[in-house]
Amino acid sequence: MEILAFGVQADEKPLIEQAFQAHHEVRCLDVFLNEDTVPIAAGHEVISTSVNADLGPRILEALAAAGTRMIAQRSTGFNNIDLTVAERLGMTVARVSYYSPYAVAEFAWTLAMAVNRRIVRASTRTRDFDFRLDGLMGRDMHGRTAGVLGTGKIGEAFARIAHGFGMRLLGWDIAENPTCMQLGMRYVAKEQLLAESDLVTLHVPLMPETQHLIDADALKTMKNDVILVNSSRGGLIDTAALVRELRAGRFTGVGLDVYEAEAGLFFLDKSLEAIEDDTLARLVTFPNVLVTSHQAYYTQEAVGQIVETTVRNVLDYTAGRRSENVLVPRS
């Protein structure tokens, strides 16, 4: 059986091909699954997709009609998949429920420190042999307060690093993490966390309940000199409201690895095109904002685990097994 993998990055391709070679043939495509590319999947019982694939009703129905019975998504998030429609169509859907939490937590800290210490501006200056320090002053993280929204495995890893910096820890989640509490984390209401934190980081999944978790009111609750980091999902922040606050001169820095309208932009080269998204175009002009293209997960360890789990999900499907990664079981 040939597996068709959509949205494969150049660095991922050899890992995917090597992982599948002992089990099934695999064809890797750099294009993402959408209405234009879905005909390519015709005749493939199993496809693998990335987090930016369009797996809404129209795409799922087209896939099912053309013979696809299993979708192996190479990510933890699955908000791009209409699971109700997939179940109605008798399709099996699996995801990667776990990979290195350190990859994302460490990258979130990379964003936080980069905006705090003005690393991008400093690097640009020194390339032009401008070695002035004007405008590059940051601040110590030691003794300040880190607010962690979402204290699962990634949030816990972030909190461990914050603890190493000597920071006070505030947490918000539906369940308290005992390890975080051992680090000295105190769980409080979201409003209190936002009001007291010098650094706010997001590590919650995107669901209807968390859409725009950081909305206009939440942004106004934060300190004027806060650092805000989002390495989870773009839809957690109301970006238009964030731009308004940035225009008002608020926030020491904002580090974003995700963007709520990133589909069709991130992972692609748009450098020779006019960007029609006015919000994103405005966002990247602020000197205290750093935007990266959803790369927090992108380490050898994490991608290796993602690929291995994806192969295992496909083998479980062909063998009729079910694991914790299955979102919609085989009918």
Side-chain angles (χ1 to χ4, degrees):
M1 179 170 62
E2 182 182 72
I3 313 300
L4 189 63
F6 285 91
V8 177
Q9 303 297 312
D11 295 332
E12 290 180 292
K13 184 177 180 181
L15 297 176
I16 292 175
E17 291 176 339
Q18 182 179 0
F20 270 106
Q21 66 181 0
H23 309 286
H24 295 287
E25 294 181 17
V26 62
R27 180 155 62 103
C28 296
L29 305 176
D30 59 2
V31 297
F32 296 98
L33 179 62
N34 54 41
E35 288 195 10
D36 294 328
T37 60
V38 69
I40 305 173
H44 288 84
E45 182 179 351
V46 177
I47 67 168
S48 178
T49 56
S50 64
V51 70
N52 274 354
D54 179 355
L55 288 163
R58 288 167 60 90
I59 302 298
L60 290 173
E61 288 169 0
L63 287 171
T68 298
R69 294 292 174 265
M70 194 267 179
I71 298 169
Q73 176 132 309
R74 302 187 308 278
S75 70
T76 299
F78 53 90
N79 53 286
N80 61 316
I81 309 173
D82 192 320
L83 299 180
T84 302
V85 173
E87 184 175 18
R88 174 173 60 80
L89 294 170
M91 304 177 78
T92 300
V93 180
R95 63 161 177 164
V96 177
S97 58
Y98 174 85
Y99 60 83
S100 169
Y102 310 108
V104 179
E106 290 171 7
F107 193 82
W109 264 110
T110 301
L111 291 174
M113 294 308 294
V115 297
N116 176 38
R117 301 306 299 269
R118 320 296 194 212
I119 297 300
V120 175
R121 182 184 295 181
S123 176
T124 301
R125 281 187 184 180
T126 55
R127 284 177 179 271
D128 291 333
F129 298 98
D130 178 355
F131 300 104
R132 293 172 301 160
L133 297 182
D134 298 350
L136 301 183
M137 184 177 288
R139 59 189 186 186
D140 290 357
M141 289 291 101
H142 179 84
R144 295 188 180 272
T145 300
V148 185
L149 292 161
T151 57
K153 292 182 175 65
I154 297 173
E156 177 187 319
F158 187 95
R160 287 180 181 275
I161 299 171
H163 182 261
F165 273 105
M167 301 186 75
R168 171 182 177 236
L169 294 172
L170 296 179
W172 176 86
D173 208 327
I174 57 174
E176 297 179 350
N177 184 327
T179 301
C180 290
M181 297 178 72
Q182 290 173 8
L183 295 173
M185 178 177 284
R186 185 161 61 93
Y187 281 85
V188 296
K190 184 183 76 171
E191 293 72 20
Q192 181 179 348
L193 182 150
L194 297 178
E196 296 183 11
S197 296
D198 301 293
L199 166 61
V200 174
T201 183
L202 308 180
H203 301 291
V204 299
L206 180 61
M207 303 178 292
E209 297 81 8
T210 59
Q211 178 74 27
H212 286 181
L213 179 70
I214 304 300
D215 57 13
D217 290 338
L219 290 165
K220 291 186 182 300
T221 302
M222 297 182 192
K223 294 181 177 182
N224 286 333
D225 61 352
V226 71
I227 293 172
L228 173 63
V229 174
N230 185 11
S231 58
S232 184
R233 288 292 180 267
L236 297 175
I237 296 179
D238 182 340
T239 316
L242 176 60
V243 168
R244 289 195 295 271
E245 296 302 314
L246 288 165
R247 290 182 64 186
R250 299 188 64 223
F251 302 165
T252 288
V254 175
L256 303 175
D257 186 51
V258 287
Y259 174 61
E260 60 181 324
E262 69 182 56
L265 291 172
F266 282 19
F267 307 129
L268 300 172
D269 182 2
K270 297 289 185 178
S271 59
L272 299 180
E273 301 177 25
I275 298 299
E276 298 179 357
D277 189 324
D278 292 338
T279 302
L280 179 61
R282 184 69 181 93
L283 190 65
V284 299
T285 64
F286 292 103
N288 58 333
V289 174
L290 175 57
V291 178
T292 53
S293 55
H294 208 141
Q295 69 181 84
Y297 78 98
Y298 209 52
T299 66
Q300 293 177 359
E301 293 77 9
V303 174
Q305 290 173 325
I306 289 169
V307 170
E308 290 173 5
T309 302
T310 300
V311 172
R312 188 164 62 249
N313 287 342
V314 172
L315 296 179
D316 285 346
Y317 164 78
T318 56
R321 296 188 296 264
R322 182 174 178 178
S323 73
E324 70 280 1
N325 298 318
V326 176
L327 299 169
V328 180
R330 186 171 185 171
S331 57

Coordinates of all heavy atoms in Angstrom, one line a residue, residues 90-164:
G90 N -17.3 7.2 8.0 CA -16.6 5.9 8.3 C -15.1 6.0 8.1 O -14.4 5.0 7.9
M91 N -14.5 7.2 8.3 CA -13.1 7.3 8.2 C -12.4 7.2 9.5 O -12.9 7.7 10.5 CB -12.8 8.7 7.5 CG -13.4 8.9 6.2 SD -13.1 10.5 5.5 CE -11.4 10.2 4.9
T92 N -11.3 6.6 9.6 CA -10.4 6.5 10.8 C -9.5 7.8 10.8 O -8.9 8.1 9.8 CB -9.6 5.3 10.8 OG1 -10.4 4.1 10.8 CG2 -8.7 5.2 12.1
V93 N -9.4 8.4 12.0 CA -8.6 9.6 12.1 C -7.7 9.4 13.3 O -8.2 9.0 14.4 CB -9.4 10.9 12.3 CG1 -8.4 12.1 12.4 CG2 -10.3 11.1 11.1
A94 N -6.4 9.6 13.1 CA -5.4 9.4 14.3 C -4.5 10.7 14.3 O -4.3 11.3 13.2 CB -4.6 8.2 14.2
R95 N -4.0 10.9 15.4 CA -3.1 12.1 15.6 C -1.8 11.6 16.3 O -1.7 10.4 16.7 CB -3.7 13.2 16.3 CG -4.1 12.8 17.8 CD -4.3 14.0 18.7 NE -4.7 13.6 20.0 CZ -4.7 14.3 21.0 NH1 -4.3 15.6 20.9 NH2 -5.1 13.9 22.2
V96 N -0.9 12.5 16.6 CA 0.2 12.3 17.5 C -0.1 12.9 18.8 O 0.0 14.1 18.9 CB 1.5 12.9 16.9 CG1 2.7 12.6 17.8 CG2 1.8 12.3 15.5
S97 N -0.4 12.1 19.8 CA -0.9 12.7 21.1 C 0.3 13.1 21.9 O 0.0 13.9 22.9 CB -1.7 11.6 21.8 OG -1.0 10.4 22.0
Y98 N 1.5 12.7 21.6 CA 2.6 13.2 22.4 C 3.9 13.2 21.6 O 4.2 12.4 20.8 CB 2.8 12.2 23.6 CG 4.1 12.5 24.4 CD1 4.0 13.4 25.4 CD2 5.3 11.8 24.1 CE1 5.2 13.7 26.2 CE2 6.4 12.1 24.8 CZ 6.4 13.1 25.9 OH 7.5 13.4 26.6
Y99 N 4.7 14.3 21.8 CA 6.0 14.4 21.3 C 6.8 15.3 22.3 O 6.2 15.9 23.2 CB 6.1 14.8 19.9 CG 5.6 16.2 19.6 CD1 6.3 17.4 19.8 CD2 4.3 16.3 19.1 CE1 5.8 18.6 19.5 CE2 3.8 17.6 18.8 CZ 4.5 18.7 19.0 OH 4.0 20.0 18.8
S100 N 8.1 15.4 22.1 CA 8.9 16.2 23.0 C 8.3 17.5 23.5 O 8.2 18.4 22.6 CB 10.3 16.5 22.4 OG 11.0 17.4 23.2
P101 N 7.9 17.7 24.7 CA 7.4 19.0 25.2 C 8.5 20.0 25.3 O 8.2 21.2 25.3 CB 6.8 18.6 26.6 CG 7.6 17.5 27.0 CD 7.9 16.7 25.8
Y102 N 9.7 19.5 25.4 CA 10.9 20.5 25.5 C 11.1 21.3 24.3 O 11.5 22.5 24.4 CB 12.1 19.7 25.9 CG 11.9 18.7 27.0 CD1 11.9 17.3 26.8 CD2 11.7 19.2 28.3 CE1 11.7 16.4 27.8 CE2 11.5 18.3 29.3 CZ 11.5 16.9 29.1 OH 11.2 16.1 30.1
A103 N 10.8 20.7 23.1 CA 10.9 21.5 21.9 C 10.1 22.8 21.9 O 10.7 23.9 21.6 CB 10.5 20.6 20.7
V104 N 8.9 22.7 22.3 CA 8.0 23.9 22.3 C 8.3 24.8 23.4 O 8.3 26.0 23.3 CB 6.5 23.4 22.3 CG1 5.6 24.6 22.3 CG2 6.2 22.5 21.1
A105 N 8.5 24.2 24.6 CA 8.8 25.0 25.8 C 10.1 25.8 25.6 O 10.2 27.0 25.9 CB 8.9 24.1 27.0
E106 N 11.1 25.2 25.1 CA 12.4 25.8 24.9 C 12.3 26.9 23.8 O 12.9 28.0 24.0 CB 13.5 24.8 24.5 CG 13.9 23.9 25.6 CD 14.8 22.8 25.1 OE1 15.2 22.8 23.9 OE2 15.1 21.9 25.9
F107 N 11.5 26.7 22.8 CA 11.3 27.7 21.8 C 10.5 28.9 22.3 O 10.7 30.0 21.9 CB 10.6 27.1 20.5 CG 10.7 28.0 19.3 CD1 11.8 28.0 18.5 CD2 9.6 28.9 19.0 CE1 11.9 28.9 17.4 CE2 9.7 29.7 17.9 CZ 10.8 29.7 17.1
A108 N 9.5 28.6 23.1 CA 8.7 29.7 23.8 C 9.7 30.6 24.6 O 9.5 31.8 24.5 CB 7.6 29.1 24.7
W109 N 10.6 30.0 25.3 CA 11.6 30.8 26.0 C 12.5 31.5 25.1 O 12.9 32.7 25.3 CB 12.4 29.9 26.9 CG 11.8 29.9 28.3 CD1 11.1 28.9 29.0 CD2 11.8 31.0 29.2 NE1 10.7 29.4 30.2 CE2 11.1 30.7 30.4 CE3 12.3 32.3 29.1 CZ2 10.9 31.5 31.5 CZ3 12.1 33.2 30.2 CH2 11.5 32.8 31.4
T110 N 12.8 30.9 23.9 CA 13.7 31.6 22.9 C 13.0 32.9 22.4 O 13.6 33.9 22.3 CB 13.9 30.7 21.7 OG1 14.6 29.5 22.2 CG2 14.8 31.4 20.7
L111 N 11.7 32.8 22.2 CA 10.9 34.0 21.8 C 10.9 35.0 22.9 O 11.1 36.2 22.6 CB 9.5 33.6 21.4 CG 9.3 32.8 20.1 CD1 7.8 32.3 20.0 CD2 9.7 33.6 18.9
A112 N 10.6 34.6 24.1 CA 10.6 35.5 25.2 C 11.9 36.3 25.4 O 11.9 37.5 25.6 CB 10.2 34.7 26.5
M113 N 13.0 35.6 25.4 CA 14.3 36.2 25.6 C 14.7 37.0 24.4 O 15.4 38.1 24.6 CB 15.3 35.2 25.9 CG 15.1 34.5 27.3 SD 14.8 35.6 28.7 CE 16.4 36.4 28.8
A114 N 14.3 36.6 23.2 CA 14.7 37.4 22.0 C 14.0 38.8 22.0 O 14.6 39.8 21.7 CB 14.3 36.6 20.8
V115 N 12.7 38.8 22.4 CA 12.0 40.1 22.4 C 12.5 40.9 23.7 O 12.5 42.2 23.6 CB 10.5 40.0 22.4 CG1 10.1 39.4 21.1 CG2 9.9 39.2 23.5
N116 N 12.8 40.2 24.8 CA 13.2 40.9 26.0 C 14.6 41.6 25.8 O 14.7 42.8 26.2 CB 13.3 39.9 27.1 CG 13.8 40.6 28.4 OD1 13.5 41.7 28.7 ND2 14.7 39.8 29.1
R117 N 15.5 40.9 25.1 CA 16.8 41.5 25.0 C 17.1 42.0 23.6 O 18.2 42.3 23.2 CB 17.9 40.4 25.3 CG 17.8 39.8 26.7 CD 17.8 40.8 27.8 NE 19.1 41.6 27.7 CZ 20.2 41.2 28.4 NH1 20.1 40.1 29.2 NH2 21.2 42.0 28.4
R118 N 16.0 42.2 22.8 CA 16.1 42.9 21.5 C 17.1 42.2 20.5 O 17.8 42.9 19.9 CB 16.4 44.4 21.7 CG 15.8 45.1 22.8 CD 14.3 45.2 22.7 NE 13.8 46.1 23.7 CZ 12.6 46.0 24.2 NH1 11.8 45.0 24.0 NH2 12.2 47.0 25.1
I119 N 17.1 40.9 20.5 CA 18.1 40.2 19.8 C 18.0 40.5 18.3 O 19.0 40.6 17.6 CB 18.0 38.7 20.0 CG1 18.2 38.4 21.5 CG2 18.9 37.9 19.2 CD1 19.6 38.8 22.0
V120 N 16.8 40.5 17.7 CA 16.6 40.7 16.3 C 17.2 42.1 15.9 O 17.9 42.2 14.9 CB 15.2 40.5 15.8 CG1 15.0 40.9 14.3 CG2 14.7 39.1 16.1
R121 N 16.8 43.1 16.6 CA 17.3 44.5 16.3 C 18.8 44.5 16.5 O 19.5 45.1 15.6 CB 16.6 45.5 17.3 CG 17.0 46.9 17.0 CD 16.4 47.9 18.0 NE 15.0 47.9 17.9 CZ 14.2 48.7 18.7 NH1 14.8 49.5 19.6 NH2 12.9 48.7 18.6
A122 N 19.3 43.9 17.5 CA 20.8 43.9 17.7 C 21.5 43.2 16.6 O 22.6 43.7 16.1 CB 21.1 43.3 19.1
S123 N 21.0 42.1 16.2 CA 21.6 41.4 15.1 C 21.6 42.2 13.8 O 22.6 42.2 13.0 CB 20.9 40.0 14.9 OG 21.5 39.3 13.8
T124 N 20.5 42.8 13.5 CA 20.4 43.6 12.3 C 21.4 44.8 12.3 O 22.0 45.1 11.3 CB 19.0 44.2 12.1 OG1 18.0 43.1 12.1 CG2 18.8 45.0 10.9
R125 N 21.5 45.4 13.5 CA 22.5 46.5 13.6 C 23.9 46.1 13.4 O 24.7 46.7 12.6 CB 22.4 47.1 15.0 CG 21.2 48.0 15.2 CD 21.3 48.7 16.6 NE 20.1 49.5 16.9 CZ 20.0 50.2 18.0 NH1 20.9 50.1 18.9 NH2 18.9 50.9 18.2
T126 N 24.3 45.0 14.0 CA 25.7 44.6 13.9 C 26.1 44.1 12.5 O 27.2 44.2 12.1 CB 26.0 43.5 14.9 OG1 25.1 42.4 14.8 CG2 26.0 44.0 16.3
R127 N 25.1 43.6 11.8 CA 25.3 43.3 10.3 C 25.7 44.5 9.5 O 26.3 44.5 8.5 CB 24.1 42.6 9.7 CG 24.0 41.1 10.2 CD 22.7 40.5 9.6 NE 22.6 39.1 10.0 CZ 23.1 38.1 9.3 NH1 23.7 38.4 8.1 NH2 22.9 36.9 9.7
D128 N 25.1 45.7 10.0 CA 25.4 47.0 9.4 C 26.6 47.7 10.1 O 26.8 48.9 9.8 CB 24.2 47.9 9.4 CG 23.1 47.4 8.5 OD1 23.4 46.7 7.5 OD2 21.9 47.6 8.8
F129 N 27.3 46.9 11.0 CA 28.4 47.5 11.7 C 28.0 48.7 12.6 O 28.8 49.6 12.9 CB 29.6 47.9 10.8 CG 30.1 46.7 10.1 CD1 29.8 46.4 8.8 CD2 31.0 45.8 10.7 CE1 30.2 45.3 8.1 CE2 31.5 44.7 10.1 CZ 31.1 44.4 8.7
D130 N 26.8 48.6 13.1 CA 26.3 49.6 14.0 C 26.3 48.9 15.4 O 25.5 48.1 15.7 CB 24.8 50.0 13.7 CG 24.2 51.0 14.6 OD1 24.9 51.3 15.7 OD2 23.1 51.5 14.4
F131 N 27.2 49.3 16.3 CA 27.4 48.7 17.5 C 26.9 49.5 18.7 O 27.3 49.2 19.9 CB 28.9 48.3 17.7 CG 29.4 47.4 16.6 CD1 30.2 48.0 15.6 CD2 29.1 46.1 16.6 CE1 30.7 47.2 14.6 CE2 29.6 45.3 15.6 CZ 30.3 45.8 14.6
R132 N 26.0 50.4 18.5 CA 25.4 51.1 19.6 C 24.4 50.3 20.4 O 23.9 49.3 19.9 CB 24.6 52.3 19.1 CG 25.4 53.4 18.4 CD 24.5 54.4 17.7 NE 23.7 53.8 16.7 CZ 22.6 54.4 16.3 NH1 22.1 55.5 16.7 NH2 21.8 53.7 15.3
L133 N 24.2 50.6 21.7 CA 23.3 49.9 22.5 C 22.0 50.6 22.7 O 21.1 50.1 23.4 CB 24.0 49.7 23.9 CG 25.3 48.9 24.0 CD1 25.7 48.7 25.4 CD2 25.0 47.5 23.3
D134 N 21.8 51.8 22.1 CA 20.6 52.6 22.3 C 19.4 51.7 21.9 O 19.3 51.1 20.8 CB 20.6 53.8 21.4 CG 21.8 54.8 21.7 OD1 22.4 54.5 22.8 OD2 22.0 55.7 21.0
G135 N 18.4 51.7 22.8 CA 17.2 50.9 22.5 C 17.2 49.4 22.7 O 16.3 48.7 22.4
L136 N 18.3 48.9 23.2 CA 18.5 47.5 23.4 C 18.4 47.0 24.8 O 18.6 45.8 25.1 CB 19.9 47.0 22.8 CG 20.1 47.3 21.3 CD1 21.5 46.8 20.9 CD2 19.0 46.8 20.4
M137 N 18.1 47.9 25.7 CA 18.0 47.5 27.1 C 16.9 46.5 27.4 O 15.7 46.8 27.1 CB 17.9 48.7 28.0 CG 17.9 48.4 29.5 SD 17.9 49.8 30.6 CE 19.5 50.5 30.3
G138 N 17.2 45.4 28.0 CA 16.2 44.4 28.4 C 16.0 44.5 29.9 O 16.2 45.5 30.6
R139 N 15.6 43.4 30.5 CA 15.4 43.3 32.0 C 15.7 41.9 32.5 O 15.5 40.9 31.7 CB 14.0 43.8 32.4 CG 12.9 43.0 31.8 CD 11.6 43.7 32.0 NE 10.5 42.8 31.6 CZ 9.2 43.2 31.6 NH1 8.9 44.5 32.0 NH2 8.2 42.4 31.2
D140 N 16.1 41.8 33.7 CA 16.3 40.4 34.3 C 14.9 39.7 34.4 O 13.9 40.3 34.8 CB 16.8 40.6 35.7 CG 18.3 41.1 35.7 OD1 18.8 41.3 34.6 OD2 18.8 41.3 36.8
M141 N 14.9 38.4 34.2 CA 13.8 37.6 34.4 C 13.7 37.2 35.9 O 12.7 36.9 36.4 CB 13.8 36.4 33.5 CG 13.5 36.6 32.1 SD 11.8 37.1 31.8 CE 11.9 38.9 31.6
H142 N 14.9 37.1 36.5 CA 15.0 36.7 37.9 C 14.1 37.6 38.8 O 14.2 38.8 38.7 CB 16.4 36.7 38.4 CG 16.6 36.4 39.9 ND1 16.7 35.0 40.3 CD2 16.6 37.1 41.0 CE1 16.8 35.0 41.6 NE2 16.8 36.3 42.0
G143 N 13.3 37.0 39.6 CA 12.4 37.7 40.5 C 11.1 38.2 40.0 O 10.3 38.7 40.7
R144 N 11.0 38.1 38.7 CA 9.7 38.5 38.0 C 8.7 37.4 38.0 O 9.0 36.2 38.4 CB 9.9 39.0 36.6 CG 10.8 40.3 36.6 CD 10.9 41.0 35.3 NE 11.7 42.2 35.3 CZ 11.3 43.4 35.6 NH1 10.0 43.6 35.9 NH2 12.1 44.4 35.6
T145 N 7.5 37.6 37.5 CA 6.4 36.6 37.6 C 6.1 36.1 36.2 O 5.9 36.9 35.3 CB 5.1 37.3 38.2 OG1 5.4 37.7 39.5 CG2 4.0 36.3 38.2
A146 N 6.1 34.8 36.1 CA 5.7 34.1 34.8 C 4.3 33.5 35.0 O 4.1 32.8 35.9 CB 6.7 33.0 34.5
G147 N 3.4 33.9 34.1 CA 2.1 33.3 34.1 C 1.9 32.3 33.0 O 2.1 32.6 31.8
V148 N 1.6 31.1 33.4 CA 1.5 29.9 32.4 C 0.1 29.5 32.3 O -0.5 29.0 33.2 CB 2.4 28.7 32.9 CG1 2.4 27.6 31.9 CG2 3.8 29.2 33.2
L149 N -0.5 29.8 31.1 CA -1.8 29.4 30.8 C -1.8 28.0 30.1 O -1.4 27.9 29.0 CB -2.5 30.4 29.9 CG -2.8 31.8 30.5 CD1 -3.0 32.9 29.5 CD2 -4.0 31.7 31.4
G150 N -2.2 27.0 30.9 CA -2.1 25.6 30.4 C -0.8 25.0 30.9 O 0.3 25.3 30.5
T151 N -1.0 24.1 31.9 CA 0.2 23.5 32.6 C 0.2 22.0 32.4 O 0.5 21.2 33.3 CB 0.1 23.8 34.1 OG1 -1.2 23.3 34.6 CG2 0.2 25.3 34.3
G152 N 0.0 21.6 31.1 CA 0.3 20.2 30.8 C 1.8 20.0 30.6 O 2.6 20.6 31.2
K153 N 2.1 19.0 29.8 CA 3.6 18.7 29.6 C 4.4 19.8 29.2 O 5.5 20.1 29.6 CB 3.7 17.5 28.7 CG 3.1 16.2 29.2 CD 3.3 15.0 28.3 CE 2.9 13.7 28.9 NZ 1.4 13.7 29.1
I154 N 3.9 20.6 28.2 CA 4.7 21.7 27.7 C 4.7 22.9 28.7 O 5.8 23.4 28.9 CB 4.1 22.2 26.3 CG1 4.2 21.1 25.3 CG2 4.8 23.5 25.8 CD1 3.5 21.4 24.0
G155 N 3.6 23.2 29.3 CA 3.5 24.2 30.3 C 4.4 23.9 31.5 O 5.1 24.7 32.0
E156 N 4.4 22.6 31.8 CA 5.3 22.2 32.9 C 6.8 22.4 32.6 O 7.6 22.8 33.4 CB 5.1 20.7 33.2 CG 6.0 20.1 34.3 CD 5.8 18.6 34.5 OE1 4.7 18.1 34.4 OE2 6.9 17.9 34.6
A157 N 7.2 22.0 31.3 CA 8.5 22.2 30.9 C 8.9 23.7 30.9 O 10.0 24.0 31.3 CB 8.7 21.6 29.5
F158 N 8.0 24.5 30.5 CA 8.2 26.0 30.5 C 8.4 26.4 31.9 O 9.3 27.2 32.2 CB 7.1 26.7 29.8 CG 7.3 28.2 29.7 CD1 7.8 28.7 28.5 CD2 7.0 29.1 30.7 CE1 8.0 30.1 28.3 CE2 7.3 30.4 30.6 CZ 7.8 30.9 29.4
A159 N 7.6 25.9 32.8 CA 7.6 26.3 34.2 C 9.0 25.9 34.9 O 9.5 26.6 35.7 CB 6.5 25.8 35.0
R160 N 9.5 24.8 34.5 CA 10.8 24.3 35.0 C 11.9 25.3 34.7 O 12.7 25.6 35.5 CB 11.1 22.9 34.5 CG 10.3 21.8 35.1 CD 10.7 20.4 34.5 NE 10.0 19.3 35.0 CZ 10.2 18.7 36.1 NH1 11.3 19.1 36.9 NH2 9.5 17.7 36.5
I161 N 11.8 25.8 33.4 CA 12.9 26.7 33.0 C 12.7 28.0 33.7 O 13.7 28.7 34.2 CB 12.8 26.9 31.4 CG1 13.0 25.6 30.7 CG2 13.8 28.0 31.0 CD1 12.8 25.7 29.2
A162 N 11.4 28.5 33.9 CA 11.2 29.7 34.6 C 11.7 29.6 36.0 O 12.2 30.6 36.6 CB 9.7 30.0 34.6
H163 N 11.4 28.4 36.6 CA 11.9 28.2 38.0 C 13.4 28.3 38.0 O 14.0 28.9 39.0 CB 11.5 26.8 38.5 CG 11.9 26.5 39.9 ND1 13.0 25.7 40.2 CD2 11.3 26.8 41.1 CE1 13.1 25.6 41.5 NE2 12.1 26.3 42.0
G164 N 14.1 27.8 37.0 CA 15.6 27.9 36.9 C 16.0 29.4 36.9 O 17.1 29.7 37.4

